[in-house]
Amino acid sequence: MSPRDSENPESNGLAESKNELRATEDMCHYCFAVLVHHSLCSEQNRLSTTSSSIKTIESYIGENHKSFLVSSSPSNSNANTFECPLFVTWDKQSGKSDRHYALRGCIGTLSPKRLTNHLGDYALTSALHDTRFNPISISEIPKLRVAVSLLVNYESCDHCYDWIIGTHGIIIKFIHDSKQYSATFLPEVASEQGWDQATTISSLVRKAGFTSIVVS
């Protein structure tokens, strides 16, 4: 799990106010469970995964969280009816240090979605279908951490640099040759990657799927 998303969580659910909305540890555990279940059930991984690999993954999740492997929804009753934009971010431990992580996948939606219906979908989509990366393999799971981000507040920018690194997330939308492009970075992305604003915007344009030359 990512510490940033378990900071001041509601112990048993979502806050009453959208402005106080927090992701919970249960949501992060659930994302791991969905990814592990998908990986173990896929035919390719079932044939190639050794029993020792499975034991390593189960040990990483922990005995207390094995129930999530068969859970059909996050254990959060208030989330059953709540809808909001959400993102799921996967980071992978890089190097020998357990303190350094690199982005491994991040996808979500700006359209309000019911969490119990869609959190698992975006856990898999961000892990397997972020076009910037290869799909996450089962052998990588013990080195992963996950963050769930629930988006509730927005404000307009006057220009593409009208935002603060580490404080604001950014959404980009544009049209080129009659094709629409859009992408989002969460507030922590630029600071964690060590990017300046120009690099962040350029990376966001690539995330949107635009592959032509970008002129400043």
Side-chain angles (χ1 to χ4, degrees):
M1 292 182 301
S2 170
R4 62 175 176 264
D5 286 299
S6 57
E7 181 181 358
N8 298 323
E10 296 296 315
S11 57
N12 293 313
L14 301 172
E16 293 290 334
S17 168
K18 286 186 179 181
N19 291 332
E20 299 174 359
L21 185 62
R22 300 281 183 179
T24 66
E25 290 189 4
D26 271 1
M27 294 178 187
C28 294
H29 291 311
Y30 177 69
C31 289
F32 261 111
V34 169
L35 178 59
V36 170
H37 184 265
H38 172 85
S39 299
L40 294 180
C41 288
S42 68
E43 183 67 21
Q44 181 178 358
N45 285 325
R46 187 162 62 230
L47 293 174
S48 61
T49 302
T50 64
S51 59
S52 60
S53 296
I54 296 175
K55 289 180 180 179
T56 299
I57 294 168
E58 290 181 342
S59 175
Y60 178 78
I61 295 176
E63 289 290 332
N64 294 332
H65 303 132
K66 281 188 177 180
S67 60
F68 282 94
L69 291 174
V70 294
S71 174
S72 60
S73 63
S75 56
N76 187 326
S77 59
N78 289 336
N80 288 329
T81 58
F82 193 85
E83 296 182 355
C84 72
L86 68 141
F87 278 77
V88 177
T89 303
W90 294 98
D91 297 320
K92 181 181 177 182
Q93 183 179 338
S94 58
K96 296 182 179 180
S97 172
D98 58 0
R99 295 185 178 181
H100 294 89
Y101 285 79
L103 181 65
R104 192 61 181 81
C106 179
I107 290 179
T109 177
L110 298 177
S111 300
K113 299 292 184 181
R114 183 169 293 186
L115 299 180
T116 49
N117 292 349
H118 295 280
L119 180 57
D121 293 339
Y122 282 100
L124 285 182
T125 300
S126 59
L128 305 176
H129 302 297
D130 189 328
T131 57
R132 298 169 295 173
F133 307 97
N134 291 326
I136 290 175
S137 66
I138 195 169
S139 63
E140 296 178 90
I141 292 177
K143 296 183 179 181
L144 296 177
R145 70 179 182 184
V146 68
V148 175
S149 299
L150 309 180
L151 310 185
V152 293
N153 294 318
Y154 301 89
E155 55 185 292
S156 299
C157 296
D158 293 331
H159 51 81
C160 68
Y161 297 125
D162 183 25
W163 56 280
I164 301 172
I165 292 177
T167 299
H168 299 120
I170 52 176
I171 302 168
I172 190 171
K173 297 180 181 180
F174 61 95
I175 299 175
H176 180 75
D177 288 342
S178 301
K179 182 178 180 180
Q180 295 185 348
Y181 297 86
S182 64
T184 303
F185 274 155
L186 301 173
E188 61 273 5
V189 172
S191 57
E192 288 185 351
Q193 299 301 314
W195 293 339
D196 58 18
Q197 287 185 314
T199 302
T200 303
I201 295 297
S202 178
S203 298
L204 188 58
V205 169
R206 297 306 182 199
K207 182 182 180 183
F210 186 76
T211 57
S212 300
I213 297 175
V214 177
V215 180
S216 301

